[in-house]
Amino acid sequence: MSDHFHIVFAPGLPWVALETLGAIAALLSAYALRAKAKGALWRIAAFALLLLALANPSLIAEKREALKDTALLVIDDSASIKIGDRATQAQKAADAITQKISAMDDLTLETVHVKGTDETDLFEAVQQKLSGLSRDRLAGIIAITDGEVHDKPETPLNAPFHALIAGHKNEIDRRIVIKEAPAYGLVGKSVKLTLRVEDAPKQQSEHATITFRRDDGTEQSFDAPVGEDVHFEAPIGHAGANLFAFSTATLPNELTPINNTAAVSVSGIRDRLRVLLVSGQPHIGGRTWRNFLKADPAVDLVHFTILRSPMKMDTVPNTELSLIAFPVHELFEVKLSSFDLVIFDRFRQQSLVPDEYLENIAKYVENGGALLISNSTDTAVPPLTLSPLARILPTEPTGRLLTNRFVPDLSEAGQRHPVTSALPTDMPREKWGPWFREVEARAKKGEVLMTGINGSPLLVLDHVGNGRVAQFLSDQFWLWSRGYENGGPQAEMLRRVAHWLVQEPELDETALRAHGDLTEQGWQLTITRQSLHDSSADISVIGPDNQTTHATLAPSNQPGILTATMPVKDTGLYHLNDGKKDLFVMVGPKDAPEFGDIRATSDVLAPIVKSSGGGTFWLDDHPDGPSIQRVS
């Protein structure tokens, strides 16, 4: 710190006026001296004092202190820096640099950490930090990074930029790249994927063995040429997300296996949902089904109302008939398997459909088909109960027809089942309108989701073989569609039942799901399981290293959902099993630039270092960082 003095003028008149007065005074003084007038010197002194007073001088004393320059230390904390011993190298160099700069009297150190999971935006973090610093006092920027930076600036930096590269020269890495993959695919069809195995810095072998895994647990292996595109047909097995994972073995001395696995998710969609609706006795709610199904443009509806028996003998020429015979053979023998869903609405058999065709429907369901029965409330014993379909129906009628005003309610299972659990969300139950009749029945299997009079079953769902069955014990949901006394969530109820029947994954009552997330503590696996009755569940988790751990799921704040979160050490493909279902889930980056070419490199930052007058240093050669000297 030093003292400095100087005089500052603050004239009361403009300088032009003072200069004019000074000039006049100088002329008068010169004339007085030339004429040798008495008192000339006193007049000159008076003029000088007057002009000095008008200039208003002040004596300023200043104490000055030199400000320190600033050095900016940028530490890469992105996901790729955690590979191998890079983080250890970076931390050791950061500690050494901090210690060296702290010992300098004319330099202060500012530190910024760069986070990143999918990519490293190092220069964005630098610019944000510089916005709060004086650019005139910036001595230089030191970046400790592996060189995987994805936001190189367009304009040059105004200070020397030095890159300290963590990692090792000539690292070996192999990766699988999914080059082309569609976002959607038709259920039952295959999609074409294009992938490639790449080695760096040079090809390590001619071929690589790739293991292909699907989310249903199936897997297969095949050889692929290294460095060439490989086309692969992947089947879309179900609606919703279909996970396909490809992995290859780790090379000797390979940097990391983190990118030896690549996964892609393809959404399975149905081309068209083909529905066969068979109506029996006409009734006031007959159009409810038709309106509901025709409202969805993705539904192909075939609707028949049986008004004329196929066995009826008639001598009237077909060209003169108003009603054609019901095509029972074509629908229930020839084309039955082409339908995704069969609905019987108030069907009264009366020998309209022979037993051998009803047997075909039972086998159709057992082989993976879907059947929905909406019973008529005109009779206490539904006719199909006495048919071959009885073995797949979930209820058995008692022979009583219940009539009374009631509001449908959700059973305990219904409050947890994804088909009905959300119905009160769409419309609060206290606003639901009443129904008045139902067939009394006893549930012999399946799950009762909705109840009616005296808690009797109203909606029952059941798994039959590879297929599914749903049964309504009342046909009065049309009252909701007409808005009777506020109506009810009829459309959403029917939609969810129909989608459950065709096995939409989001409505599976025993669904096992998982996903990986990157937190500040590292990767973690979040597991959820849908359950109708369990209060806990034990899940075995097999990691990429084939080691098995266990996770215990506990109830969440959502009815029917059990959940658990567990940290995972490695990224890659995880295999989950709850005793009934298998699930494969990819934990780790998917198509992230951070995990593309994962080798440490100085090439990306080289142009910036050169243009700024900085230097590049590998921490392999400088474990404590380069020597730091203050250059004036």
Side-chain angles (χ1 to χ4, degrees), residues 374-432:
S374 175
N375 288 126
S376 168
T377 53
D378 289 344
T379 176
V381 181
L384 292 177
T385 306
L386 307 176
S387 74
L389 288 181
R391 76 169 186 269
I392 66 171
L393 295 182
T395 66
E396 182 178 16
T398 64
R400 295 178 57 200
L401 186 64
L402 303 179
T403 57
N404 201 352
R405 178 190 175 96
F406 71 95
V407 176
D409 199 5
L410 300 183
S411 65
E412 182 178 351
Q415 295 173 18
R416 299 165 66 98
H417 201 293
V419 168
T420 50
S421 61
L423 294 183
T425 304
D426 298 322
M427 182 177 183
R429 185 192 173 275
E430 55 268 19
K431 294 186 178 181
W432 292 2

Side-chain angles (χ1 to χ4, degrees), residues 107 153-154 207 220 285 301 307 330 380 399 411 414 418 459 477 556 560 565 616:
L107 198 61
E154 298 292 335
H207 291 82
Q220 67 184 89
L301 176 63
L307 299 177
E330 183 178 6
S411 65
L459 169 61
F477 42 78
S556 68
T565 301
T616 299

Side-chain angles (χ1 to χ4, degrees), residues 87-116:
T88 303
Q89 286 182 324
Q91 187 60 52
K92 188 176 180 180
D95 293 341
I97 291 172
T98 301
Q99 183 179 2
K100 292 175 183 178
I101 293 181
S102 298
M104 296 181 178
D105 295 334
D106 59 348
L107 198 61
T108 60
L109 182 67
E110 294 284 344
T111 303
V112 58
H113 291 263
V114 181
K115 306 292 184 181

Side-chain angles (χ1 to χ4, degrees), residues 12-53:
L13 296 176
W15 282 108
V16 174
L18 288 178
E19 290 170 355
T20 302
L21 291 175
I24 295 172
L27 291 173
L28 292 175
S29 298
Y31 177 77
L33 290 173
R34 185 177 181 85
K36 297 181 180 181
K38 292 182 177 181
L41 293 177
W42 289 105
R43 293 187 185 94
I44 292 172
F47 280 137
L49 290 174
L50 178 60
L51 290 173
L52 182 63

